[in-house]
Amino acid sequence: MRPESLTFLQTYLNNPSPTGFEKEGQKLWLEYLKPYIDEYFVDTYGTVVGVINPDAKYKVVIEAHADEISYFVNYITKEGYLYLRRNGGSDPLVAPSKRVNIFGEKGIVKGIFGWPAIHVRKVEQDKAPTIETVFLDCGASSADEVAEMGIHVGSVVTFEDEFTVLNDKFYVGRALDNRVGGFMIAEVARMLKENNKKLPFGLYIVNAVQEEIGLRGAEMVAHRINPDVAIITDVTHDSQSPMYEKKTAGDISCGKGPVITYGPAVQNNLRDLIIDTAKASDIPFQRAAATRATGTDTDAFAYSGSGVASALISLPLKYMHTTVETVHKDDVESVTRLIYETLLRIEDGHDFRYFK
């Protein structure tokens, strides 16, 4: 990876972008993307779209989502402790002893998830932490002191953990789900520009908001763009570490390439074009099956308007929705390259219908 690309990835991942509050991360992403696009727009809720060939009638989307799971302050005790509610699929089980950033009216306030010491608990009666039992300590001794710090009900909370590299093979951090996707589609735009590739269609590079609470940003922007084709990238579960059941989770491994999904929302001809591209380009890939829905922005695009030919290229990831989400360097490169090579195979007016 280029040093400049790695620097951007690290900066982008370390910047908090909780669901509904993605603005600062979106600004970073757009500044990186600007040299490689013709124009851009930002919608009402913060989805950012870079456009190449904006006057073209036929429109192709490549998309990722920008938001990360987080918490809201929900209740402040008279002693100054904070209780929370989830913003997206946050997991209280991983919270105790973690450091956090609390976004208050006066700026970021540092806090910690407290937890009673093992010495004072009846360990044999321990239960898993829940959203009702985890709490934040921001160093205050009263509700008034909390208010003086600028913290109020509705303040957003994110974990403090930052980017690192594991064994020179893996990228580790919070919010790789799915800002690493935003990184990859931005890299595709860069590669197109630097390799002087002229596409016969309009390309819309979409970094959508609010995926973690129901694909909402994708729903909005799909109606606005009204594309003909959408290639979505998101993360999926590596199932090799302990406690996974391959019979239900599938047999997916970090380091073995992009994951191409089968499911009702995935347009078969577009999916097969991606598979053919992977084979022709010697890009290793894996396969996965969805149930009724992929659970990603693929569903929002596929069923928008009169129907959009959509497909999902996933990045295998360990430990989803924790502070140590982990992806393999090679897979990041391979997903990026697969999207890039697939775009070069799509024709102007490409008709993906099953029959005519």
Side-chain angles (χ1 to χ4, degrees):
M1 185 182 294
R2 301 183 319 151
E4 301 91 338
S5 297
L6 184 59
T7 297
F8 167 65
L9 176 61
Q10 181 171 351
T11 303
Y12 185 46
L13 288 174
N14 286 346
N15 180 82
S17 287
T19 300
F21 301 84
E22 301 92 344
K23 179 178 69 173
E24 297 305 320
Q26 293 291 68
K27 289 180 179 178
L28 285 172
W29 185 80
L30 179 58
E31 284 305 308
Y32 184 77
L33 186 69
K34 277 181 179 178
Y36 314 123
I37 58 176
D38 296 322
E39 62 180 49
Y40 70 91
F41 64 86
V42 182
D43 78 5
T44 304
Y45 277 83
T47 291
V48 180
V49 181
V51 188
I52 298 171
N53 300 338
D55 296 328
K57 181 179 178 181
Y58 194 79
K59 301 175 183 178
V60 176
V61 161
I62 56 174
E63 191 261 14
H65 73 83
D67 57 318
E68 66 176 289
I69 56 173
S70 58
Y71 294 92
F72 286 116
V73 174
N74 188 50
Y75 173 64
I76 302 169
T77 72
K78 66 180 189 299
E79 297 83 8
Y81 293 103
L82 314 179
Y83 284 84
L84 310 173
R85 67 182 358 168
R86 288 180 285 204
N87 184 19
S90 304
D91 185 357
L93 192 65
V94 304
S97 81
K98 287 291 186 182
R99 295 173 172 86
V100 300
N101 290 317
I102 307 166
F103 294 81
E105 291 179 339
K106 299 178 182 179
I108 293 175
V109 178
K110 298 297 181 179
I112 56 174
F113 275 103
W115 197 248
I118 192 170
H119 314 72
V120 300
R121 302 195 322 264
K122 295 181 178 180
V123 177
E124 67 278 5
Q125 297 179 15
D126 273 352
K127 296 181 180 180
T130 68
I131 195 65
E132 290 82 16
T133 59
V134 295
F135 61 91
L136 285 183
D137 185 338
C138 61
S141 56
S142 69
D144 288 342
E145 190 175 356
V146 171
E148 289 171 6
M149 299 167 80
I151 300 169
H152 53 76
V153 170
S155 291
V156 182
V157 178
T158 62
F159 290 113
E160 193 178 57
D161 300 64
E162 294 189 340
F163 176 87
T164 189
V165 178
L166 188 66
N167 194 26
D168 200 33
K169 296 179 183 178
F170 294 92
Y171 299 132
V172 179
R174 39 158 267 285
L176 283 121
D177 175 15
N178 179 36
R179 286 209 291 283
V180 70
F183 167 78
M184 292 187 296
I185 59 174
E187 286 293 276
V188 170
R190 178 186 65 79
M191 292 164 62
L192 290 168
K193 180 76 169 183
E194 293 183 352
N195 293 331
N196 198 31
K197 297 295 184 181
K198 304 297 183 184
L199 299 174
F201 48 77
L203 180 65
Y204 293 71
I205 305 105
V206 178
N207 208 15
V209 298
Q210 299 196 28
E211 186 271 351
E212 295 290 355
I213 49 87
L215 323 181
R216 300 307 187 192
E219 286 181 355
M220 290 183 277
V221 80
H223 288 289
R224 177 165 178 172
I225 298 172
N226 192 23
D228 299 282
V229 180
I231 298 173
I232 313 305
T233 187
D234 205 332
V235 294
T236 192
H237 301 284
D238 170 287
S239 59
Q240 305 307 310
S241 58
M243 299 176 69
Y244 282 88
E245 175 54 71
K246 293 185 175 66
K247 291 177 183 177
T248 53
D251 189 6
I252 302 298
S253 179
C254 285
K256 292 188 177 181
V259 179
I260 299 173
T261 296
Y262 289 71
V266 175
Q267 213 280 341
N268 297 336
N269 291 335
L270 177 57
R271 183 204 60 227
D272 290 346
L273 175 65
I274 293 169
I275 290 173
D276 291 343
T277 300
K279 291 177 178 178
S281 303
D282 293 322
I283 299 172
F285 68 93
Q286 305 171 80
R287 303 178 202 251
T291 54
R292 295 183 60 172
T294 69
T296 72
D297 284 341
T298 311
D299 305 323
F301 275 93
Y303 302 128
S304 66
S306 57
V308 177
S310 300
L312 174 61
I313 302 175
S314 298
L315 177 73
L317 175 141
K318 295 182 178 183
Y319 321 126
M320 193 181 297
H321 286 202
T322 72
T323 60
V324 290
E325 294 180 334
T326 301
V327 298
H328 199 289
K329 288 181 175 182
D330 291 348
D331 293 336
V332 174
E333 298 283 351
S334 293
V335 170
T336 304
R337 185 165 161 245
L338 181 54
I339 297 171
Y340 171 82
E341 296 290 347
T342 300
L343 291 177
L344 299 182
R345 287 173 161 244
I346 296 176
E347 302 170 353
D348 184 20
H350 203 127
D351 190 343
F352 285 98
R353 288 180 296 173
Y354 298 138
F355 60 92
K356 304 172 182 61

